[in-house]
Amino acid sequence: MQEKRQLKIGGTIDGVGWNYMGWRHPDMPANASESIEYYVQKAKRLEEGKFDTIFLTDVSHIGPSMIPHYLSMFEGVTILSALSMVTHSIGLTATIATSYADPFTVARQMASLDKISNGRAGWNAITSNPGGLANYSRTHLSKADLYPMKKEFLEIVEGLWDSYEDDAFIRDKQSGIFFNPKKMHALNFKGEYFSVDGPLNISRSRQGRPVIFQAGSSSDFMNIAAKHADGVFLPSDDLEDAKAFSNEVKRRVTLEGRSPDDFIITLSHNPIVGRTEREAEEKFQELESLMPGYRIPKPKFFGSAEKVADQIQKWYEAGAMDLLKIRQEHPSGFDDFIKLVIPILQEKGIFRTEYESNTLRGNLGLPYPENRYSV
């Protein structure tokens, strides 16, 4: 078994925040969810903190009771393409649901982002809810369709990303040879939900293809993820539950003939950090004071920087997570974490001081995926 990889860290940029009151804070621009300047500022800050990737969540169906961020927000691939031009090493991971998107379009979108960013794209492939299906004319589908449909979707996208072998494009002006047609491959997929001829009209990136994440906890989810994902988001605030999920997913990865060392377990937390326990408590109370009568749960990772760093180290060394994805509850959340916690994690030797690579796969320690037609 290879040496245990260092802890990986990602950050979800949620605009005005993923609660109901954050937008009212004096330090939060009220239009942050639709402000390119805000996203650029946060992306640069996360890269300064040596984070592995930016994550963007998404929703496909809204109503007036939704949190402010979901009511007015950017489309993920669009904003990440813009952020790729002001960053250099940090990954760019978008959420797109397989339940309503089209596999050819997603394959092309994500491959384009991967090329634009020089190999830093990731895709969080989720399923959708009934509201999302209604917005995309998919109300004829039932819940039972979602995972079989997702399986087809992933098979198609992965196949399309292998449309060209790595050395297919010669682009030799003197000889007049642009590409080798023997190294272009049609897909000719015929399934229950999709029919896609291919090939895709874009070449592979420096990292081969985008990193695929999936989110969930069901048995069907774990089976599909074990075969098709590079990493998963697991929902858990309990250390023992997280360890059990992690062990089970990696067991299924092994059954697929893959190395569990080449698979990323991701947990999402929203730490509130202070120089002292009291300072963290004051930030938490400040948030609640913005919307009297509305209460938010206290984060699992909460308190002084030393305490939070110790908690993170415990979860990481217990095997509960390979990647910690943080969301900022308080408007200073990213800055507090980068300024106070990251140096301690670096001193402990469990988090990088410099990027290892300029690709997402390289920084995550994932192997280069060989084209199926080249091996």
Side-chain angles (χ1 to χ4, degrees):
M1 180 179 291
Q2 68 182 36
E3 183 181 347
K4 183 175 175 65
R5 66 164 56 88
Q6 283 191 311
L7 174 70
K8 307 302 177 182
I9 301 178
T12 300
I13 304 178
D14 287 305
V16 295
W18 62 292
N19 55 42
Y20 285 94
M21 77 280 280
W23 70 276
R24 301 177 69 176
H25 194 283
D27 294 337
M28 174 61 73
N31 71 334
S33 297
E34 292 184 355
S35 167
I36 180 63
E37 292 81 9
Y38 179 84
Y39 274 77
V40 166
Q41 176 192 21
K42 293 304 176 185
K44 288 182 174 180
R45 188 68 178 115
L46 293 178
E47 188 163 70
E48 288 171 3
K50 310 302 179 187
F51 279 43
D52 288 85
T53 188
I54 296 164
F55 289 98
L56 294 185
T57 57
D58 199 17
V59 291
S60 54
H61 185 265
I62 64 168
S65 63
M66 293 288 237
I67 60 172
H69 173 57
Y70 289 162
L71 296 175
S72 62
M73 62 188 293
F74 286 122
E75 187 279 321
V77 176
T78 305
I79 187 62
L80 289 175
S81 296
L83 297 182
S84 75
M85 305 307 291
V86 296
T87 55
H88 305 282
S89 300
I90 194 167
L92 306 159
T93 301
T95 297
I96 306 175
T98 58
S99 308
Y100 57 73
D102 182 88
F104 188 89
T105 300
V106 170
R108 193 178 187 199
Q109 282 180 300
M110 294 308 307
S112 295
L113 177 61
D114 210 21
K115 295 286 284 192
I116 290 168
S117 64
N118 289 315
R120 293 186 284 136
W123 171 35
N124 179 25
I126 63 170
T127 53
S128 185
N129 55 40
L133 297 178
N135 275 342
Y136 288 85
S137 305
R138 298 281 178 86
T139 51
H140 61 285
L141 298 176
S142 69
K143 187 175 181 179
D145 290 297
L146 299 188
Y147 277 118
M149 184 179 180
K150 181 175 187 176
K151 184 174 181 294
E152 279 193 16
F153 198 112
L154 290 164
E155 290 173 356
I156 293 166
V157 170
E158 289 174 341
L160 289 171
W161 284 341
D162 280 348
S163 291
Y164 291 111
E165 296 178 45
D166 288 352
D167 57 350
F169 287 91
I170 300 164
R171 298 187 175 102
D172 187 322
K173 292 185 178 182
Q174 188 171 3
S175 67
I177 299 174
F178 189 74
F179 87 113
N180 181 349
K182 293 181 180 179
K183 298 198 173 189
M184 180 178 77
H185 303 278
L187 185 62
N188 298 319
F189 184 96
K190 307 294 181 185
E192 183 178 351
Y193 300 95
F194 302 107
S195 176
V196 179
D197 286 351
L200 196 65
N201 56 339
I202 189 168
S203 62
R204 297 181 105 213
S205 78
R206 289 176 57 206
Q207 68 170 350
R209 66 187 188 202
V211 174
I212 298 178
F213 292 94
Q214 295 184 40
S217 59
S218 71
S219 182
D220 286 342
F221 155 78
M222 286 192 279
N223 286 337
I224 294 175
K227 185 174 181 63
H228 294 284
D230 297 296
V232 293
F233 298 106
L234 297 178
S236 182
D237 282 333
D238 180 83
L239 176 58
E240 294 305 316
D241 284 349
K243 286 167 57 178
F245 271 131
S246 176
N247 290 336
E248 178 58 21
V249 173
K250 290 195 173 184
R251 183 187 72 83
R252 299 190 193 202
V253 168
T254 302
L255 291 176
E256 290 290 342
R258 305 172 61 194
S259 170
D261 295 325
D262 297 333
F263 196 84
I264 302 290
I265 302 294
T266 303
L267 296 181
S268 180
H269 286 277
N270 53 310
I272 293 182
V273 184
R275 291 174 178 82
T276 64
E277 193 82 12
R278 177 167 183 168
E279 188 175 275
E281 186 66 43
E282 287 172 351
K283 289 176 181 177
F284 182 73
Q285 292 177 5
E286 181 184 22
L287 275 176
E288 291 200 324
S289 71
L290 296 172
M291 198 168 176
Y294 183 80
R295 293 291 175 261
I296 54 177
K298 188 167 284 189
K300 189 72 176 181
F301 296 159
F302 179 91
S304 69
E306 290 79 8
K307 177 184 174 183
V308 169
D310 287 345
Q311 290 173 317
I312 292 170
Q313 181 180 22
K314 180 180 178 181
W315 282 56
Y316 160 71
E317 292 183 345
M321 64 181 180
D322 302 305
L323 190 155
L324 170 64
K325 180 173 74 75
I326 72 168
R327 308 177 84 165
Q328 60 169 21
E329 189 94 75
H330 190 278
S332 67
F334 286 148
D335 284 332
D336 292 338
F337 192 87
I338 291 168
K339 182 168 59 177
L340 301 175
V341 179
I342 290 292
I344 300 175
L345 297 176
Q346 291 170 333
E347 288 172 9
K348 290 174 178 287
I350 63 173
F351 186 63
R352 69 167 63 87
T353 55
E354 294 294 339
Y355 284 108
E356 300 84 4
S357 173
N358 286 325
T359 70
L360 179 54
R361 285 187 184 277
N363 284 322
L364 291 177
L366 295 173
Y368 183 88
E370 298 296 334
N371 187 295
R372 68 187 65 188
Y373 301 106
S374 301
V375 295

